[in-house]
Amino acid sequence: MSSTASDLKKILGKGKVIDDPAIVKLYSKEPSGMEGEGAIAVVFPESVEDVRRIIRYAYETSTPVYPQGSSTSLAGSAVPFERGIVISMERMKKIHEVNLVDGVAIVDPGIRIDDLNVELARYGYMFPVDPASSSVATVGGAINSGAGGMRGAKYGTMRDWVLGLELVLADEDATLLRVGCKTVKCRQGYDLTRLIVGSEGTLGIVTKATLRITPLPEQVVYILAFYDKLEDLAQTVVDLKASRITPLIAEFMEARTVELAKKLANVEIDAEGHMLLVGVDVYREAAERMLRLLEETARKNNAKKVYKAWSTEEAEEKGLFAIRRNLFTSQVYYTRQRLGKENVHVLIEDIVVPPSRLVEAVKRLDEITRKYGFTLILGGHIGDGNLHPAVGYDPEDEEEKKRVHDWYMEVMKLALELGGSMSAEHGIGVMKKEGLRMEAEALGSPKMLDLMRGIKQVFDPKGILNPGKVV
Amino acid sequence: MQSNGAEALRAYIRAETSKCMFCGFCEALCPTLYHGPHRGYGPRGRVNLARLIARGEASFTSDVVESMYSCLLCKACHLKCPGGIDIVGVVRATRSLYVLSQEVSA
Amino acid sequence: MVLNVREILLLMAEETEKNGIPLPINPRVITEWAEGLGLPEKGDTLLYTGGLYQLMPYINALVKYLEVLESRPSGGFLLKAARKLGLTGLAGAIAKPDRREVEYSHKVLRAIVKLLQSAGVEFAYNPSADGYSGVLLYDMGLDNVFRRHAVRVYESLKKAGARRIITIDPHTTFIMEKVYPEYVKGFDIEVVNYLRLLREKGYKPSGNGGRVVIHDPCLYARELGIIEEPRKLLADAGYEILEPRRSGRMTYCCGGPVESIAPRLSRKIASMRARELSEKGRRVVTLCPICLANLSRAGEKLEINDISLYLSGEA
Ligand SMILES: Cc1cc2nc3c(=O)[nH]c(=O)nc-3n(C[C@H](O)[C@H](O)[C@H](O)COP(=O)(O)OP(=O)(O)OC[C@H]3O[C@@H](n4cnc5c(N)ncnc54)[C@H](O)[C@@H]3O)c2cc1C
Ligand code: SF4
Ligand code: SF4
């Protein structure tokens, strides 16, 4: 046993420290395919005091710590690369308070988003940020990766829903810091709460969060429409905006991707062409009018096929979401077929462009991907301009890995060229550090990185918090 | 999955677990993970520990044995795995490997 | 969190090789329920109980004992000693199950027999061909012990002339239908679950009515697709069915399968599920003896009964 592990066992008690190398490996990996060799032990704090004990020890011994939720990050942000301790927040998963009058929920960082929503649904409320990984992703992880989701166009991302935070700082005393308010309006000098959102565990360990919550919509109506021309699909969204509608979700999938995904989806939907899924939340009385408007707008823009649903349940039943849900899986299956092996990786990009440039972005993405000899799987949140182009590759083929990397860089460049950003919701981690530099330069603001490094230095003078990530 | 000796078991586990993307979607419905002490008590953990065992990169330490033997074989995880991995099959095969390694059924 | 797995496996393996049951008890406990019922012993359709209902009281007694062991640091060691000595603690604890539980299991089995008879199913019960199916051995990875055991079970079924067997719980149904054919060369016995059979016969049971919460067992719901049958039968018997938050294919395990390896974990899972069920109502229907035992152990104020008792108007 390493002395670090035995020290930690003395400090925390045996049950909260694991140094079995096999179990430690379970905390050294991510779905991005990245894996680190640095972790000596995993610790499982059960209280703020536990976290502070760990941080005091880490500070004293200058041992790096890697906070983790469910490690579903796609950017390499949760992986322990240097020798250090993984802090898994999974045991801190209580809901402390749900306050409907104030519209807030106060929760531990380790609770998973869907589990929180099950509880909130009892009151007819929800936490609206819904990354596709919401069944696994923790609140703490989502805060720290600045996550977004399908409802981004209407509800924004984590930064719009975190009102206040409690965190442990990496200083000598392991200071407990509370920032932000319990109210939406809050002018507490510099906005430190938002600084922590998206900081990827590099500025402090989040131990509690005050989240905004919102009522569940009374009803949501949906259409699923298919188009020959991408322009027509985009125009549908433009027309909806002109009709002063802000959809709850507006998801899009490119035609070839639809073809691949429909094979897996196993639904009776005649899916052909580019796909648009729109859901609008309405009061019951308005449902019929809204559904009619959605269908007419789609048809007017040459949609070939339009499926409708009166509620989320009906949409589920009819399989309206099934094709969209197979976006990621279809790339996996496709790549397995292409390479004739099971062990494949899929790289999911995460760029955002102004919605007005979407059509152009899709065309250019297709060209770029072809140039590198990959098949593009493309879907995204058309409402907010967030695109997730993905390619599959062989992780054991060095040449292919290099090609993927070049593709990745060029996709980020494209986003910048179109006035967008290289990361919409997945974060920087280690995979997009180059991208961040590129973006700072494109904005003519390399100073941005100096400021960030300065902030990091103030928060984490010894550089022990998730080292090597972001900047 | 019938065991035809340790090598066949290992080959099966390797093939099945190589499909794992580490997405964790399987974890959401797992009763033992929710109440258990760490990720090894969930399907993602079990699949990846089995993988390490089958590749000879881990041994049957008490933590690994606990992970495998605390599984309910309830298949809730199967409902969510995008890789279509036979998680319960993997757990059973790993248990069989353990039994062989302990000569319990000699 | 978990007991000494190796010791438990050894116990199961040794006992099964000795007397066909993974516990140190007399095999007669599996067949005594049928004594005096006057069921025919010969026929090509046999009722094969697999012994799970009958064993539950003994397993419950064992679990109580193990829970005590688990709370002590020396639990693993004591278990080893108990297995070696055979007599002390372990065997003594198991030998004294709760009589009420034993009687309850007999009541369930007799209710099932009555249902089959009322539905006009022709079947026989041959005590020498009934016995433990070996489910636990298979689940625990004791492949070789299981294989030998399964062959013995198959041979005695064949000797009794079985062409078709009727199974009554999810675990036995699963193992006979899906696993035996894989492990036993030339396995040629048709397996039919009694709930399916009752539906096939178009049988309309009559019960006492009222609202009941249904708890789907994992294997019926996800492995065997037996979801609609119990609901139709209950509805026909006059019950209004309440669905818990997680039901059908999405059902939530009762925690039972790890009761003898990780009793405390098992209890936590059962409590969570029992709470979820209680949100919908107090009267709960189970379709598996393990679910019944484990949910009952959870201590919520629930009135839990096997489906057969609801369908025969005894609950
Ligand atoms: C299939 C798939 C689909 C996805 N879809 C989306 C999507 O639609 N939208 C989206 O935004 N993301 C998506 N993601 C990415 C990822 O799931 C999210 O970013 C998620 O919010 C991460 O949560 P986590 O609990 O797994 O955090 P982790 O991966 O464990 O951690 C993420 C970061 O937060 C830090 N961290 C975690 N907890 C704490 C804490 N308590 N204090 C301080 N730092 C902490 C970690 O150090 C790390 O830097 C997807 C991932 C997968 C695999
Ligand atoms: S089968 Fe095992 S791993 Fe899968 S959900 Fe059930 S307990 Fe968890
Ligand atoms: S859902 Fe499947 S692919 Fe994802 S982590 Fe679990 S086992 Fe692996």
Side-chain angles (χ1 to χ4, degrees):
Chain A
M1 200 195 311
S2 76
S3 67
T4 306
S6 61
D7 288 350
L8 288 165
K9 283 180 192 177
K10 261 183 240 135
I11 296 169
L12 295 169
K14 255 197 191 155
K16 297 178 191 170
V17 182
I18 290 199
D19 61 344
D20 181 315
I23 309 293
V24 170
K25 280 202 173 126
L26 299 180
Y27 291 84
S28 302
K29 231 175 134 169
E30 257 185 19
S32 60
M34 296 200 133
E35 200 164 349
E37 302 281 330
I40 318 158
V42 187
V43 293
F44 300 86
E46 290 172 14
S47 66
V48 181
E49 268 321 304
D50 282 348
V51 176
R52 295 186 65 196
R53 282 187 200 109
I54 298 160
I55 294 299
R56 254 184 239 123
Y57 174 81
Y59 185 86
E60 207 176 286
T61 55
S62 300
T63 311
V65 294
Y66 298 92
Q68 252 181 37
S70 292
S71 50
T72 62
S73 157
L74 293 171
S77 23
V79 180
F81 289 107
E82 294 169 33
R83 190 176 182 282
I85 314 160
V86 171
I87 307 180
S88 174
M89 305 303 288
E90 67 189 88
R91 291 192 196 166
M92 290 175 69
K93 56 179 175 189
K94 272 204 270 316
I95 298 174
H96 294 279
E97 188 185 335
V98 175
N99 190 325
L100 302 188
V101 180
D102 296 343
V104 298
I106 301 176
V107 303
D108 274 351
I111 189 169
R112 296 174 179 224
I113 296 175
D114 278 9
D115 289 343
L116 171 61
N117 270 323
V118 165
E119 183 59 26
L120 293 176
R122 289 175 201 272
Y123 307 96
Y125 270 70
M126 66 171 176
F127 181 72
V129 183
D130 61 340
S133 55
S134 62
S135 64
V136 212
T138 63
V139 166
I143 290 172
N144 275 278
S145 52
M150 289 216 288
R151 306 183 189 130
K154 179 148 203 150
Y155 287 113
T157 68
M158 286 310 282
R159 70 170 176 204
D160 303 300
W161 293 87
V162 181
L163 297 177
L165 289 172
E166 177 188 278
L167 58 153
V168 174
L169 297 178
D171 57 21
E172 196 174 348
D173 299 324
T175 303
L176 189 64
L177 187 75
R178 295 195 182 86
V179 295
C181 308
K182 271 184 158 189
T183 47
V184 174
K185 291 185 176 170
C186 177
R187 278 292 302 109
Q188 219 170 52
Y190 296 147
D191 191 345
L192 295 181
T193 310
R194 287 208 178 178
L195 180 59
I196 300 301
V197 175
S199 65
E200 302 183 29
T202 62
L203 301 182
I205 312 286
V206 171
T207 52
K208 206 185 265 179
T210 304
L211 305 173
R212 261 173 89 189
I213 56 176
T214 191
L216 278 165
E218 211 172 272
Q219 192 171 346
V220 186
V221 294
Y222 298 89
I223 58 156
L224 181 74
F226 295 91
Y227 299 82
D228 280 334
K229 288 228 262 340
L230 200 55
E231 287 82 357
D232 289 342
L233 182 149
Q235 190 59 41
T236 308
V237 179
V238 172
D239 287 356
L240 288 177
K241 278 191 183 161
S243 315
R244 289 174 294 148
I245 293 167
T246 308
L248 183 64
I249 60 170
E251 293 292 303
F252 130 86
M253 253 163 93
E254 172 273 343
R256 201 156 2 87
T257 312
V258 168
E259 204 182 307
L260 287 173
K262 118 181 134 181
K263 288 189 200 136
L264 300 173
N266 188 24
V267 283
E268 280 173 41
I269 282 180
D270 187 9
E272 207 203 308
H274 304 291
M275 184 182 97
L276 175 68
L277 171 69
V278 179
V280 182
D281 45 339
V282 290
Y283 288 110
R284 223 165 269 128
E285 295 76 9
E288 193 176 342
R289 186 163 61 91
M290 182 58 72
L291 203 51
R292 199 175 337 111
L293 179 72
L294 290 179
E295 189 181 3
E296 277 167 9
T297 313
R299 294 225 187 265
K300 196 180 73 197
N301 286 297
N302 309 316
K304 297 187 291 187
K305 262 250 142 55
V306 183
Y307 294 88
K308 294 183 287 186
W310 287 91
S311 66
T312 307
E313 293 74 39
E314 192 192 342
E316 280 289 356
E317 219 166 273
K318 285 188 170 169
L320 263 50
F321 305 132
I323 296 175
R324 172 63 179 86
R325 284 212 187 106
N326 277 294
L327 175 63
F328 180 57
T329 330
S330 58
Q331 179 61 274
V332 174
Y333 279 77
Y334 170 77
T335 310
R336 277 187 193 155
Q337 255 174 12
R338 175 172 74 85
L339 298 171
K341 61 187 279 194
E342 294 283 352
N343 181 16
V344 301
H345 277 187
V346 173
L347 186 69
I348 307 178
E349 246 293 7
D350 172 42
I351 56 169
V352 59
V353 298
S356 57
R357 311 291 294 270
L358 262 168
V359 174
E360 199 181 341
V362 172
K363 299 210 156 133
R364 297 275 301 277
L365 279 171
D366 196 40
E367 279 165 30
I368 294 173
T369 312
R370 254 181 242 259
K371 189 172 91 188
Y372 286 99
F374 293 110
T375 298
L376 180 66
I377 294 283
L378 180 61
H381 316 297
I382 197 165
D384 57 24
N386 184 188
L387 291 171
H388 291 305
V391 298
Y393 64 99
D394 182 350
E396 285 156 286
D397 180 340
E398 288 306 320
E399 186 276 329
E400 203 164 279
K401 269 165 78 176
K402 162 107 189 27
R403 240 183 321 131
V404 169
H405 177 259
D406 294 346
W407 170 84
Y408 193 64
M409 294 306 291
E410 196 159 336
V411 170
M412 289 194 280
K413 270 197 201 110
L414 172 69
L416 300 178
E417 192 190 316
L418 297 177
S421 174
M422 44 88 224
S423 176
E425 53 184 22
H426 293 171
I428 306 299
V430 291
M431 290 171 68
K432 289 212 157 162
K433 282 168 83 171
E434 252 174 295
L436 179 62
R437 210 169 311 131
M438 238 159 52
E439 184 156 336
E441 262 152 37
L443 291 169
S445 308
K447 182 92 187 168
M448 181 203 281
L449 300 176
D450 294 338
L451 285 175
M452 288 184 190
R453 282 190 205 104
I455 292 169
K456 168 77 177 168
Q457 175 66 27
V458 172
F459 271 83
D460 180 20
K462 280 198 170 182
I464 55 171
L465 284 175
N466 205 5
K469 314 294 162 60
V470 189
V471 284
Chain B
M1 171 70 207
Q2 245 202 83
S3 81
N4 304 310
E7 215 19 73
L9 286 169
R10 274 193 210 102
Y12 164 77
I13 297 169
R14 274 198 305 266
E16 206 58 27
T17 57
S18 72
K19 301 182 214 165
C20 179
M21 299 168 275
F22 215 72
C23 64
F25 283 19
C26 51
E27 289 184 349
L29 301 175
C30 176
T32 59
L33 178 71
Y34 189 85
H35 295 284
H38 59 72
R39 210 170 269 170
Y41 275 67
R44 174 166 61 164
R46 291 182 177 122
V47 164
N48 284 277
L49 289 175
R51 178 157 182 265
L52 294 172
I53 291 278
R55 292 162 60 106
E57 292 165 11
S59 54
F60 281 111
T61 57
S62 62
D63 280 320
V64 174
V65 173
E66 286 179 15
S67 157
M68 294 304 154
Y69 277 93
S70 57
C71 175
L72 298 158
L73 312 175
C74 73
K75 290 203 172 173
C77 47
H78 286 218
L79 297 170
K80 292 286 167 181
C81 176
I85 298 173
D86 182 2
I87 298 167
V88 162
V90 166
V91 170
R92 265 214 192 85
T94 313
R95 288 180 180 181
S96 302
L97 266 184
Y98 173 68
V99 166
L100 289 178
S101 76
Q102 297 293 303
E103 293 170 18
V104 172
S105 61
Chain C
M1 204 76 187
V2 164
L3 281 158
N4 188 330
V5 173
R6 185 166 187 255
E7 293 305 319
I8 291 173
L9 294 179
L10 277 168
L11 172 81
M12 286 176 180
E14 286 172 8
E15 290 301 328
T16 310
E17 299 278 12
K18 236 189 284 168
N19 66 5
I21 303 183
L23 293 174
I25 44 174
N26 187 336
R28 206 181 69 98
V29 304
I30 290 187
T31 54
E32 62 187 357
W33 66 276
E35 284 165 17
L37 286 188
L39 295 172
E41 292 199 5
K42 286 216 156 46
D44 51 16
T45 297
L46 291 187
L47 174 64
Y48 176 70
T49 70
L52 216 52
Y53 277 99
Q54 300 91 311
L55 287 178
M56 278 327 287
Y58 301 89
I59 294 178
N60 285 343
L62 171 70
V63 171
K64 247 186 232 147
Y65 180 73
L66 293 177
E67 273 186 325
V68 177
L69 286 193
E70 196 187 18
S71 63
R72 296 190 205 166
S74 55
F77 172 74
L78 284 177
L79 195 59
K80 193 167 174 176
R83 185 181 62 79
K84 285 247 166 73
L85 298 172
L87 283 169
T88 43
L90 187 65
I94 302 168
K96 285 201 269 322
D98 188 331
R99 275 326 290 173
R100 280 166 308 183
E101 288 178 15
V102 175
E103 276 154 30
Y104 186 91
S105 75
H106 292 183
K107 194 166 139 189
V108 167
L109 292 161
R110 291 186 179 157
I112 292 172
V113 161
K114 235 192 305 173
L115 287 168
L116 288 168
Q117 287 170 337
S118 314
V121 178
E122 280 189 29
F123 67 96
Y125 182 69
N126 187 327
S128 63
D130 198 8
Y132 184 57
S133 66
V135 169
L136 263 177
L137 307 169
Y138 173 69
D139 282 351
M140 293 295 156
L142 290 159
D143 275 19
N144 292 330
V145 187
F146 171 69
R147 190 193 319 276
R148 285 194 292 272
H149 181 76
V151 169
R152 285 194 295 266
V153 169
Y154 173 69
E155 279 166 2
S156 69
L157 281 168
K158 286 303 273 188
K159 213 164 90 199
R163 290 232 193 104
R164 184 165 89 137
I165 55 174
I166 303 171
T167 53
I168 60 172
D169 72 78
H171 294 269
T172 308
T173 307
F174 167 69
I175 200 116
M176 300 310 286
E177 193 179 311
K178 309 259 172 171
V179 182
Y180 267 52
E182 211 186 298
Y183 277 74
V184 179
K185 249 199 219 106
F187 186 84
D188 55 358
I189 299 174
E190 188 194 336
V191 181
V192 52
N193 177 269
Y194 88 102
L195 296 170
R196 283 215 159 118
L197 195 55
L198 293 179
R199 282 294 301 158
E200 270 168 33
K201 289 272 171 189
Y203 176 60
K204 297 255 185 297
S206 66
N208 297 328
R211 311 168 102 197
V212 292
V213 188
I214 189 164
H215 166 75
D216 290 287
C218 303
L219 285 176
Y220 273 171
R222 287 194 272 268
E223 196 79 60
L224 299 160
I226 301 183
I227 295 173
E228 284 312 311
E229 291 87 345
R231 286 170 172 72
K232 292 244 166 63
L233 288 165
L234 284 165
D236 282 345
Y239 297 96
E240 183 190 333
I241 298 155
L242 305 170
E243 300 283 348
R245 182 164 76 77
R246 293 179 272 204
S247 78
R249 250 164 67 75
M250 300 300 291
T251 191
Y252 192 79
C253 184
C254 68
V258 295
E259 65 203 346
S260 56
I261 298 269
R264 238 177 303 161
L265 179 68
S266 177
R267 191 188 273 273
K268 278 190 199 161
I269 295 167
S271 304
M272 182 155 184
R273 179 57 170 174
R275 225 175 307 128
E276 198 168 295
L277 295 169
S278 72
E279 280 170 16
K280 296 292 159 144
R282 279 192 53 238
R283 279 173 96 197
V284 173
V285 189
T286 53
L287 295 85
C288 165
I290 299 181
C291 300
L292 179 82
N294 221 48
L295 292 173
S296 303
R297 207 177 291 139
E300 285 284 323
K301 286 203 177 59
L302 292 173
E303 189 190 309
I304 311 173
N305 277 300
D306 190 78
I307 185 166
S308 60
L309 300 187
Y310 285 102
L311 296 181
S312 59
E314 290 179 61

